[in-house]
Amino acid sequence: GQNMDVGKLPGVRFFELEKNIGRSRIRNRLAEMAVYANLLFLDCDSEITSDQYIANYLSFCDQQLVVCGGTMYNSEPPEEPEYLLRWLYGISREQVTEQIRNLNPYRSFTTNNFLIPKSVMLQVRFDESIVRYGHEDTLFGLELKKNGIPVKHIRNQIIHKGLEISREFLRKTADAIENLVTLLHDGKINREDIPDIRLLRAYEKICKFHLDGIYLFFYNFISNTVMHNLLGSNPGIFAFDLYKLALIAQLTRKYEGRN
């Protein structure tokens, strides 16, 4: 019933799709339907903490640039241990100051809290061939870069509230890495884009010294320990990195028919 109430607010149009058409298509559809020149995208599992949230974006309207507000997480860890890994990842990798985000503006682009002119959004668009979860924001950031659209990061964070349990987060991570490998092999992500993607930078380093096979051999011995850590009550971000590196190595070898 709450959804119906939202639709009654002045200036609000509420839509509910019959089925999930994917994160890329829905964003493009919303942009096409929008009636004004500036679009603010905000994920539904966000909490706004500042009464200046809209005001902070207003001065950037009608400029040909994209503005990212950033993400924060609750400073207190969640009480339920099954949410710890997602919270830990958020705190250590996603909660980044605007100064640091501005050092690599395209690399730091995220879709959960950003302002974009409608004209730019309809020019660049999210790649609708990406139906599975993961890396549509990476690709959109790269497209903005290729189109010469400036990205500016400001201090206007929302708190990401929608944490997934560890098992679900690992599954979504695996989906995202599979997507990444597909995008790479389909040429949607090029070799010159690799520095902008953290996981690909790490993977390229081990491949440079032909260590991917040795790494997988080594990971085989510790995989149970790593999973036990990630699904336990004291997960480590280093273990999560080991898990992701093993996944991209396995999937790439499978893709290239080397398994």
Side-chain angles (χ1 to χ4, degrees), residues 175-187:
D175 282 353
I177 292 173
E178 198 166 334
N179 239 9
L180 186 60
V181 172
T182 307
L183 290 169
L184 197 57
H185 286 272
D186 289 353

Side-chain angles (χ1 to χ4, degrees), residues 220-236:
N220 210 22
F221 287 101
I222 61 161
S223 61
N224 287 342
T225 311
V226 168
M227 291 308 287
H228 188 72
N229 172 272
L230 294 176
L231 295 170
S233 57
N234 191 21

Side-chain angles (χ1 to χ4, degrees), residues 162-229:
L163 301 179
E164 303 103 338
I165 61 169
S166 300
R167 200 172 285 282
E168 173 68 7
F169 181 48
L170 292 179
R171 190 189 63 73
K172 285 175 91 168
T173 299
D175 282 353
I177 292 173
E178 198 166 334
N179 239 9
L180 186 60
V181 172
T182 307
L183 290 169
L184 197 57
H185 286 272
D186 289 353
K188 298 246 169 114
I189 291 174
N190 303 315
R191 293 210 61 76
E192 62 269 21
D193 300 327
I194 286 175
D196 283 323
I197 304 161
R198 184 189 180 102
L199 182 61
L200 289 181
R201 287 203 308 276
Y203 181 58
E204 194 177 49
K205 268 186 196 146
I206 67 166
C207 287
K208 191 176 167 187
F209 300 104
H210 307 289
L211 295 174
D212 50 325
I214 292 167
Y215 177 73
L216 281 176
F217 181 75
F218 155 75
Y219 185 80
N220 210 22
F221 287 101
I222 61 161
S223 61
N224 287 342
T225 311
V226 168
M227 291 308 287
H228 188 72
N229 172 272

Side-chain angles (χ1 to χ4, degrees), residues 86-119:
R86 182 65 188 92
W87 174 82
L88 186 69
Y89 180 77
I91 285 277
S92 51
R93 295 282 161 80
E94 294 176 333
Q95 184 170 295
V96 182
T97 66
E98 67 279 10
Q99 290 93 336
I100 291 175
R101 286 184 276 134
N102 275 317
L103 295 177
N104 293 293
Y106 298 100
R107 190 186 295 180
S108 304
F109 172 78
T110 52
T111 52
N112 64 329
N113 174 22
F114 75 103
L115 177 82
I116 187 169
K118 181 177 175 178
S119 57

